[in-house]
Amino acid sequence: MTLKQDLLQKMSEAVLEMDEEEVVKHAEEYIENHFDALDGISEGLADGMSKAGDLYESGEYYIPELLLCSDAMYQGIDILRPHIEQSAEDSSKKMVAVVGVVEGDTHDIGKNLFKIMLETVGFDVHDLGRDVPTEDFLKKAQEVGADLLAMSTLMTTTMENMQVVIKRLVSAQMRDNVVVMVGGGPISAEFARKIGADGYEPDASSAAHRAKQLVLSKQKD
């Protein structure tokens, strides 16, 4: 195992164990060794938070534990985020995102991780939270001039609300101006295509990079 891999694993474990001091120590060592800060967030800190989410879903962790894990993760993000490199071209582009969990679902761990990863790649993120009425996605996208609208769910019973939002965008003649991404446990690339979304990725890090790619491509058109 390389030093980078070792530190990524230690950051992940420290988040999972709710140990802020260990997170800070390993994050600082990671930066001192000039390792990629974005990898540190996605493969270290966010990985630990994702594992905490799995423990929550299985009933081993509860809300207090999740909050402590989140606090530890943010301690590390505060150290790593200033070292994320952005090209002059990317930094000159204003990218605005609206994210939320669709109506009927209150599972927001995945959405929260995606929000963090969007912020690290340069998005200004407006988080609508969870159990978001379909019309609220449209209203917020109009209000802030969103480049990206991202929806998530962990429940098969609420998946169709994603298509309702997309149809609302079409009716409002906004669809061509907004990149739509969907995600969550029951979501697949096939489902995304079926409902007319622009993209889907299985994890928060790759989804954020794909979102940036799609938005920058649309801005160039």
Side-chain angles (χ1 to χ4, degrees):
M1 181 182 292
T2 66
L3 177 59
K4 178 180 179 180
Q5 291 171 327
D6 180 55
L7 290 172
L8 288 171
Q9 181 175 317
K10 286 179 177 177
M11 283 191 286
S12 174
E13 291 173 350
V15 168
L16 189 60
E17 294 169 2
M18 301 162 275
D19 193 330
E20 292 186 19
E21 289 186 4
E22 285 295 297
V23 168
V24 169
K25 181 178 77 173
H26 297 313
E28 289 177 342
E29 184 179 355
Y30 187 87
I31 291 301
E32 287 169 3
N33 282 277
H34 307 290
F35 296 135
D36 184 83
L38 191 55
D39 287 347
I41 293 175
S42 63
E43 298 176 28
L45 302 172
D47 179 71
M49 194 66 210
S50 180
K51 291 175 179 175
D54 291 340
L55 291 179
Y56 173 73
E57 293 299 329
S58 67
E60 295 180 58
Y61 271 17
Y62 297 94
I63 294 297
E65 285 83 2
L66 280 187
L67 293 175
L68 290 172
C69 288
S70 179
D71 288 343
M73 177 181 65
Y74 276 109
Q75 288 288 324
I77 287 175
D78 286 344
I79 293 169
L80 298 180
R81 198 200 305 264
H83 299 276
I84 295 174
E85 296 181 4
Q86 296 209 11
S87 69
E89 177 187 1
D90 288 351
S91 62
S92 68
K93 303 288 186 180
K94 180 183 179 182
M95 298 185 297
V96 180
V98 171
V99 304
V101 180
V102 296
E103 189 170 12
D105 192 351
T106 59
H107 300 86
D108 62 357
I109 295 171
K111 182 268 297 174
N112 292 340
L113 288 175
F114 182 53
K115 174 189 175 183
I116 291 167
M117 297 313 302
L118 284 176
E119 290 173 340
T120 63
V121 299
F123 278 89
D124 177 18
V125 182
H126 297 266
D127 185 357
L128 297 178
R130 54 191 182 179
D131 193 17
V132 181
T134 55
E135 62 269 20
D136 287 4
F137 282 102
L138 182 66
K139 289 177 182 177
K140 194 64 176 181
Q142 289 176 319
E143 176 189 331
V144 302
D147 300 296
L148 171 71
L149 192 155
M151 300 172 279
S152 70
T153 185
L154 277 182
M155 301 171 62
T156 56
T157 54
T158 57
M159 290 168 61
E160 295 304 321
N161 286 331
M162 295 176 168
Q163 188 169 25
V164 174
V165 174
I166 292 174
K167 288 181 177 178
R168 286 180 178 272
L169 288 172
V170 173
S171 297
Q173 298 184 328
M174 293 174 59
R175 182 65 186 90
D176 291 341
N177 301 320
V178 181
V179 170
V180 177
M181 292 194 69
V182 294
I187 307 302
S188 65
E190 181 180 355
F191 176 78
R193 286 192 297 270
K194 176 184 174 183
I195 65 172
D198 297 301
Y200 158 83
E201 296 292 337
D203 64 88
S205 179
S206 57
H209 284 89
R210 179 61 176 155
K212 180 177 181 178
Q213 181 185 50
L214 290 169
V215 167
L216 290 179
S217 177
K218 186 176 285 289
Q219 288 179 341
K220 291 177 181 177
D221 292 342

CSV table of all heavy atoms in Angstrom, one decimal, residues 56-98:
chain,number,residue,atom,x,y,z
A,56,TYR,N,-26.0,3.3,8.9
A,56,TYR,CA,-27.3,3.9,9.2
A,56,TYR,C,-28.4,3.1,8.6
A,56,TYR,O,-29.4,2.8,9.3
A,56,TYR,CB,-27.3,5.4,8.8
A,56,TYR,CG,-28.7,6.0,9.0
A,56,TYR,CD1,-29.1,6.4,10.3
A,56,TYR,CD2,-29.5,6.3,7.9
A,56,TYR,CE1,-30.4,6.9,10.4
A,56,TYR,CE2,-30.7,6.9,8.1
A,56,TYR,CZ,-31.2,7.2,9.3
A,56,TYR,OH,-32.4,7.8,9.5
A,57,GLU,N,-28.3,2.8,7.3
A,57,GLU,CA,-29.3,2.1,6.6
A,57,GLU,C,-29.5,0.7,7.2
A,57,GLU,O,-30.7,0.1,7.2
A,57,GLU,CB,-29.0,2.0,5.1
A,57,GLU,CG,-29.0,3.3,4.4
A,57,GLU,CD,-30.4,4.0,4.4
A,57,GLU,OE1,-31.4,3.2,4.4
A,57,GLU,OE2,-30.4,5.2,4.4
A,58,SER,N,-28.5,0.1,7.7
A,58,SER,CA,-28.6,-1.3,8.3
A,58,SER,C,-29.0,-1.2,9.8
A,58,SER,O,-29.1,-2.3,10.4
A,58,SER,CB,-27.2,-2.0,8.2
A,58,SER,OG,-26.2,-1.4,9.0
A,59,GLY,N,-29.1,0.0,10.4
A,59,GLY,CA,-29.6,0.1,11.7
A,59,GLY,C,-28.5,0.1,12.8
A,59,GLY,O,-28.7,0.1,14.0
A,60,GLU,N,-27.2,0.1,12.3
A,60,GLU,CA,-26.1,0.0,13.3
A,60,GLU,C,-25.7,1.4,13.8
A,60,GLU,O,-25.2,1.6,14.9
A,60,GLU,CB,-24.9,-0.6,12.6
A,60,GLU,CG,-25.1,-2.1,12.3
A,60,GLU,CD,-23.8,-2.7,11.7
A,60,GLU,OE1,-22.8,-2.7,12.3
A,60,GLU,OE2,-24.0,-3.3,10.6
A,61,TYR,N,-26.0,2.4,12.9
A,61,TYR,CA,-25.7,3.8,13.3
A,61,TYR,C,-27.1,4.5,13.3
A,61,TYR,O,-28.0,4.2,12.6
A,61,TYR,CB,-24.8,4.5,12.3
A,61,TYR,CG,-23.3,4.5,12.6
A,61,TYR,CD1,-22.8,3.5,13.5
A,61,TYR,CD2,-22.4,5.3,12.0
A,61,TYR,CE1,-21.5,3.5,13.7
A,61,TYR,CE2,-21.1,5.3,12.2
A,61,TYR,CZ,-20.6,4.3,13.1
A,61,TYR,OH,-19.2,4.3,13.3
A,62,TYR,N,-27.2,5.6,14.2
A,62,TYR,CA,-28.4,6.4,14.2
A,62,TYR,C,-28.0,7.8,13.9
A,62,TYR,O,-26.9,8.2,13.6
A,62,TYR,CB,-29.0,6.3,15.6
A,62,TYR,CG,-29.5,4.8,15.9
A,62,TYR,CD1,-28.6,4.0,16.6
A,62,TYR,CD2,-30.7,4.3,15.5
A,62,TYR,CE1,-29.0,2.7,16.9
A,62,TYR,CE2,-31.1,3.0,15.7
A,62,TYR,CZ,-30.2,2.2,16.4
A,62,TYR,OH,-30.6,0.9,16.7
A,63,ILE,N,-29.0,8.7,13.9
A,63,ILE,CA,-28.8,10.1,13.5
A,63,ILE,C,-27.6,10.8,14.3
A,63,ILE,O,-26.8,11.5,13.7
A,63,ILE,CB,-30.1,10.9,13.7
A,63,ILE,CG1,-31.2,10.4,12.7
A,63,ILE,CG2,-29.8,12.4,13.5
A,63,ILE,CD1,-30.8,10.6,11.3
A,64,PRO,N,-27.5,10.6,15.6
A,64,PRO,CA,-26.4,11.2,16.3
A,64,PRO,C,-25.0,10.8,15.8
A,64,PRO,O,-24.1,11.6,15.7
A,64,PRO,CB,-26.6,10.8,17.8
A,64,PRO,CG,-28.0,10.5,17.9
A,64,PRO,CD,-28.4,9.9,16.6
A,65,GLU,N,-24.9,9.5,15.5
A,65,GLU,CA,-23.6,9.0,14.9
A,65,GLU,C,-23.4,9.6,13.5
A,65,GLU,O,-22.2,10.0,13.2
A,65,GLU,CB,-23.6,7.5,14.8
A,65,GLU,CG,-23.5,6.8,16.1
A,65,GLU,CD,-24.8,6.6,16.9
A,65,GLU,OE1,-25.8,7.1,16.4
A,65,GLU,OE2,-24.7,6.1,18.0
A,66,LEU,N,-24.4,9.7,12.7
A,66,LEU,CA,-24.2,10.3,11.4
A,66,LEU,C,-23.8,11.8,11.5
A,66,LEU,O,-23.0,12.2,10.7
A,66,LEU,CB,-25.6,10.2,10.6
A,66,LEU,CG,-25.9,8.9,10.0
A,66,LEU,CD1,-27.2,9.1,9.1
A,66,LEU,CD2,-24.8,8.4,9.1
A,67,LEU,N,-24.4,12.5,12.4
A,67,LEU,CA,-24.0,13.9,12.6
A,67,LEU,C,-22.5,14.0,13.0
A,67,LEU,O,-21.8,14.9,12.6
A,67,LEU,CB,-24.9,14.6,13.6
A,67,LEU,CG,-26.4,14.7,13.2
A,67,LEU,CD1,-27.2,15.3,14.3
A,67,LEU,CD2,-26.5,15.6,11.9
A,68,LEU,N,-22.1,13.2,13.9
A,68,LEU,CA,-20.7,13.2,14.3
A,68,LEU,C,-19.8,12.8,13.2
A,68,LEU,O,-18.7,13.4,13.1
A,68,LEU,CB,-20.5,12.3,15.6
A,68,LEU,CG,-21.1,12.7,16.9
A,68,LEU,CD1,-21.1,11.7,17.9
A,68,LEU,CD2,-20.5,14.0,17.4
A,69,CYS,N,-20.1,11.9,12.4
A,69,CYS,CA,-19.3,11.5,11.2
A,69,CYS,C,-19.3,12.7,10.3
A,69,CYS,O,-18.2,13.0,9.7
A,69,CYS,CB,-20.0,10.3,10.5
A,69,CYS,SG,-19.8,8.7,11.4
A,70,SER,N,-20.4,13.3,10.1
A,70,SER,CA,-20.4,14.5,9.2
A,70,SER,C,-19.5,15.6,9.7
A,70,SER,O,-18.8,16.3,8.9
A,70,SER,CB,-21.9,15.0,9.1
A,70,SER,OG,-22.0,16.1,8.2
A,71,ASP,N,-19.6,15.9,11.0
A,71,ASP,CA,-18.7,16.9,11.6
A,71,ASP,C,-17.2,16.6,11.3
A,71,ASP,O,-16.4,17.5,11.0
A,71,ASP,CB,-18.9,17.0,13.1
A,71,ASP,CG,-20.3,17.6,13.4
A,71,ASP,OD1,-20.9,18.3,12.6
A,71,ASP,OD2,-20.7,17.5,14.6
A,72,ALA,N,-16.9,15.3,11.5
A,72,ALA,CA,-15.5,14.9,11.3
A,72,ALA,C,-15.1,15.1,9.8
A,72,ALA,O,-14.0,15.6,9.5
A,72,ALA,CB,-15.3,13.4,11.7
A,73,MET,N,-16.0,14.7,8.9
A,73,MET,CA,-15.7,14.8,7.5
A,73,MET,C,-15.5,16.3,7.1
A,73,MET,O,-14.6,16.6,6.4
A,73,MET,CB,-16.9,14.3,6.7
A,73,MET,CG,-16.8,14.5,5.2
A,73,MET,SD,-18.2,13.8,4.3
A,73,MET,CE,-19.5,15.0,4.8
A,74,TYR,N,-16.3,17.2,7.6
A,74,TYR,CA,-16.2,18.6,7.3
A,74,TYR,C,-14.9,19.2,7.8
A,74,TYR,O,-14.3,20.1,7.3
A,74,TYR,CB,-17.4,19.4,7.8
A,74,TYR,CG,-18.6,19.4,6.8
A,74,TYR,CD1,-19.7,18.7,7.1
A,74,TYR,CD2,-18.5,20.0,5.6
A,74,TYR,CE1,-20.8,18.6,6.3
A,74,TYR,CE2,-19.6,20.0,4.7
A,74,TYR,CZ,-20.7,19.3,5.0
A,74,TYR,OH,-21.7,19.3,4.2
A,75,GLN,N,-14.4,18.7,9.0
A,75,GLN,CA,-13.1,19.1,9.5
A,75,GLN,C,-12.0,18.8,8.4
A,75,GLN,O,-11.1,19.7,8.2
A,75,GLN,CB,-12.8,18.4,10.8
A,75,GLN,CG,-13.6,18.8,12.0
A,75,GLN,CD,-13.2,20.2,12.4
A,75,GLN,OE1,-12.0,20.6,12.4
A,75,GLN,NE2,-14.2,21.0,12.9
A,76,GLY,N,-12.1,17.6,7.8
A,76,GLY,CA,-11.1,17.3,6.8
A,76,GLY,C,-11.3,18.1,5.5
A,76,GLY,O,-10.4,18.5,4.9
A,77,ILE,N,-12.6,18.3,5.1
A,77,ILE,CA,-12.9,19.1,3.9
A,77,ILE,C,-12.3,20.5,4.0
A,77,ILE,O,-11.8,21.1,3.1
A,77,ILE,CB,-14.4,19.1,3.6
A,77,ILE,CG1,-14.8,17.8,3.1
A,77,ILE,CG2,-14.7,20.2,2.6
A,77,ILE,CD1,-16.3,17.6,3.0
A,78,ASP,N,-12.4,21.1,5.2
A,78,ASP,CA,-11.9,22.5,5.4
A,78,ASP,C,-10.4,22.5,5.2
A,78,ASP,O,-9.9,23.6,4.8
A,78,ASP,CB,-12.2,22.9,6.9
A,78,ASP,CG,-13.7,23.3,7.1
A,78,ASP,OD1,-14.4,23.5,6.1
A,78,ASP,OD2,-14.1,23.4,8.2
A,79,ILE,N,-9.7,21.4,5.5
A,79,ILE,CA,-8.3,21.4,5.2
A,79,ILE,C,-7.9,21.1,3.8
A,79,ILE,O,-7.0,21.8,3.2
A,79,ILE,CB,-7.6,20.3,6.1
A,79,ILE,CG1,-7.7,20.7,7.6
A,79,ILE,CG2,-6.1,20.1,5.7
A,79,ILE,CD1,-7.4,19.5,8.5
A,80,LEU,N,-8.7,20.2,3.1
A,80,LEU,CA,-8.4,19.8,1.8
A,80,LEU,C,-8.9,20.8,0.7
A,80,LEU,O,-8.2,21.0,-0.3
A,80,LEU,CB,-8.9,18.4,1.5
A,80,LEU,CG,-8.4,17.3,2.3
A,80,LEU,CD1,-9.1,16.0,1.9
A,80,LEU,CD2,-6.9,17.2,2.2
A,81,ARG,N,-10.1,21.4,0.9
A,81,ARG,CA,-10.7,22.2,-0.1
A,81,ARG,C,-9.8,23.3,-0.7
A,81,ARG,O,-9.8,23.5,-1.9
A,81,ARG,CB,-12.0,22.7,0.4
A,81,ARG,CG,-13.0,23.2,-0.8
A,81,ARG,CD,-14.0,24.1,-0.3
A,81,ARG,NE,-14.8,23.6,0.8
A,81,ARG,CZ,-16.0,23.0,0.7
A,81,ARG,NH1,-16.5,22.8,-0.5
A,81,ARG,NH2,-16.7,22.7,1.7
A,82,PRO,N,-9.1,24.1,0.1
A,82,PRO,CA,-8.3,25.2,-0.4
A,82,PRO,C,-7.2,24.7,-1.4
A,82,PRO,O,-6.6,25.5,-2.1
A,82,PRO,CB,-7.7,25.8,0.8
A,82,PRO,CG,-8.6,25.4,2.0
A,82,PRO,CD,-9.1,24.0,1.6
A,83,HIS,N,-6.9,23.4,-1.4
A,83,HIS,CA,-5.8,22.9,-2.2
A,83,HIS,C,-6.3,22.3,-3.5
A,83,HIS,O,-5.5,21.7,-4.3
A,83,HIS,CB,-5.0,21.9,-1.4
A,83,HIS,CG,-4.4,22.5,-0.2
A,83,HIS,ND1,-3.2,23.1,-0.2
A,83,HIS,CD2,-4.8,22.5,1.1
A,83,HIS,CE1,-2.9,23.6,1.0
A,83,HIS,NE2,-3.8,23.2,1.8
A,84,ILE,N,-7.6,22.3,-3.8
A,84,ILE,CA,-8.2,21.8,-5.0
A,84,ILE,C,-7.8,22.8,-6.2
A,84,ILE,O,-8.1,24.0,-6.1
A,84,ILE,CB,-9.7,21.6,-4.9
A,84,ILE,CG1,-10.0,20.6,-3.9
A,84,ILE,CG2,-10.3,21.3,-6.3
A,84,ILE,CD1,-11.5,20.4,-3.6
A,85,GLU,N,-7.2,22.2,-7.2
A,85,GLU,CA,-6.8,23.0,-8.3
A,85,GLU,C,-7.9,23.1,-9.3
A,85,GLU,O,-8.5,22.1,-9.7
A,85,GLU,CB,-5.5,22.4,-9.0
A,85,GLU,CG,-4.3,22.4,-8.1
A,85,GLU,CD,-3.1,21.8,-8.7
A,85,GLU,OE1,-3.2,21.5,-9.9
A,85,GLU,OE2,-2.0,21.7,-8.1
A,86,GLN,N,-8.1,24.3,-9.9
A,86,GLN,CA,-9.0,24.5,-10.9
A,86,GLN,C,-8.3,25.3,-12.0
A,86,GLN,O,-7.6,26.2,-11.8
A,86,GLN,CB,-10.2,25.3,-10.4
A,86,GLN,CG,-11.0,24.6,-9.4
A,86,GLN,CD,-12.5,25.0,-9.4
A,86,GLN,OE1,-13.0,25.6,-10.3
A,86,GLN,NE2,-13.2,24.5,-8.4
A,87,SER,N,-8.6,24.9,-13.3
A,87,SER,CA,-8.0,25.6,-14.4
A,87,SER,C,-8.7,26.9,-14.6
A,87,SER,O,-9.8,27.2,-14.1
A,87,SER,CB,-8.3,24.8,-15.7
A,87,SER,OG,-9.6,24.8,-16.0
A,88,ALA,N,-8.0,27.8,-15.2
A,88,ALA,CA,-8.5,29.2,-15.4
A,88,ALA,C,-9.8,29.2,-16.2
A,88,ALA,O,-10.7,29.9,-15.9
A,88,ALA,CB,-7.4,30.0,-16.2
A,89,GLU,N,-9.9,28.2,-17.2
A,89,GLU,CA,-11.1,28.1,-18.0
A,89,GLU,C,-12.3,27.7,-17.1
A,89,GLU,O,-13.3,28.3,-17.2
A,89,GLU,CB,-10.9,27.1,-19.1
A,89,GLU,CG,-12.2,26.9,-19.9
A,89,GLU,CD,-12.0,25.7,-20.9
A,89,GLU,OE1,-11.0,25.1,-20.9
A,89,GLU,OE2,-13.0,25.5,-21.6
A,90,ASP,N,-12.1,26.7,-16.3
A,90,ASP,CA,-13.2,26.3,-15.4
A,90,ASP,C,-13.6,27.3,-14.4
A,90,ASP,O,-14.8,27.5,-14.1
A,90,ASP,CB,-12.8,25.0,-14.7
A,90,ASP,CG,-12.7,23.8,-15.6
A,90,ASP,OD1,-13.1,23.9,-16.8
A,90,ASP,OD2,-12.2,22.7,-15.2
A,91,SER,N,-12.6,28.0,-13.8
A,91,SER,CA,-12.9,28.9,-12.7
A,91,SER,C,-13.6,30.1,-13.2
A,91,SER,O,-14.2,30.9,-12.5
A,91,SER,CB,-11.6,29.3,-12.0
A,91,SER,OG,-10.7,30.0,-12.8
A,92,SER,N,-13.5,30.4,-14.6
A,92,SER,CA,-14.2,31.6,-15.1
A,92,SER,C,-15.7,31.3,-15.4
A,92,SER,O,-16.4,32.2,-15.7
A,92,SER,CB,-13.5,32.0,-16.4
A,92,SER,OG,-13.7,31.0,-17.4
A,93,LYS,N,-16.1,30.0,-15.3
A,93,LYS,CA,-17.4,29.6,-15.6
A,93,LYS,C,-18.2,29.6,-14.3
A,93,LYS,O,-17.8,29.0,-13.4
A,93,LYS,CB,-17.5,28.3,-16.3
A,93,LYS,CG,-16.7,28.1,-17.5
A,93,LYS,CD,-17.3,28.8,-18.7
A,93,LYS,CE,-16.6,28.6,-20.0
A,93,LYS,NZ,-17.2,29.3,-21.1
A,94,LYS,N,-19.4,30.3,-14.3
A,94,LYS,CA,-20.3,30.2,-13.2
A,94,LYS,C,-21.2,29.0,-13.4
A,94,LYS,O,-21.9,29.0,-14.3
A,94,LYS,CB,-21.1,31.5,-13.1
A,94,LYS,CG,-22.0,31.5,-11.9
A,94,LYS,CD,-22.9,32.8,-11.9
A,94,LYS,CE,-23.8,32.8,-10.7
A,94,LYS,NZ,-24.7,34.0,-10.7
A,95,MET,N,-21.1,28.1,-12.4
A,95,MET,CA,-22.0,26.9,-12.5
A,95,MET,C,-22.9,26.9,-11.3
A,95,MET,O,-22.4,26.9,-10.2
A,95,MET,CB,-21.1,25.7,-12.6
A,95,MET,CG,-20.2,25.6,-13.8
A,95,MET,SD,-19.3,24.0,-13.9
A,95,MET,CE,-18.3,24.1,-12.4
A,96,VAL,N,-24.2,26.9,-11.5
A,96,VAL,CA,-25.2,26.9,-10.5
A,96,VAL,C,-26.0,25.6,-10.5
A,96,VAL,O,-26.5,25.2,-11.5
A,96,VAL,CB,-26.1,28.1,-10.6
A,96,VAL,CG1,-27.1,28.2,-9.5
A,96,VAL,CG2,-25.3,29.4,-10.7
A,97,ALA,N,-26.1,25.0,-9.3
A,97,ALA,CA,-26.8,23.7,-9.2
A,97,ALA,C,-27.9,23.8,-8.2
A,97,ALA,O,-27.8,24.5,-7.2
A,97,ALA,CB,-25.9,22.6,-8.8
A,98,VAL,N,-29.0,23.1,-8.5
A,98,VAL,CA,-30.1,22.9,-7.5
A,98,VAL,C,-30.2,21.4,-7.3
A,98,VAL,O,-30.3,20.6,-8.2
A,98,VAL,CB,-31.5,23.5,-8.1
A,98,VAL,CG1,-32.6,23.1,-7.1
A,98,VAL,CG2,-31.4,25.0,-8.2
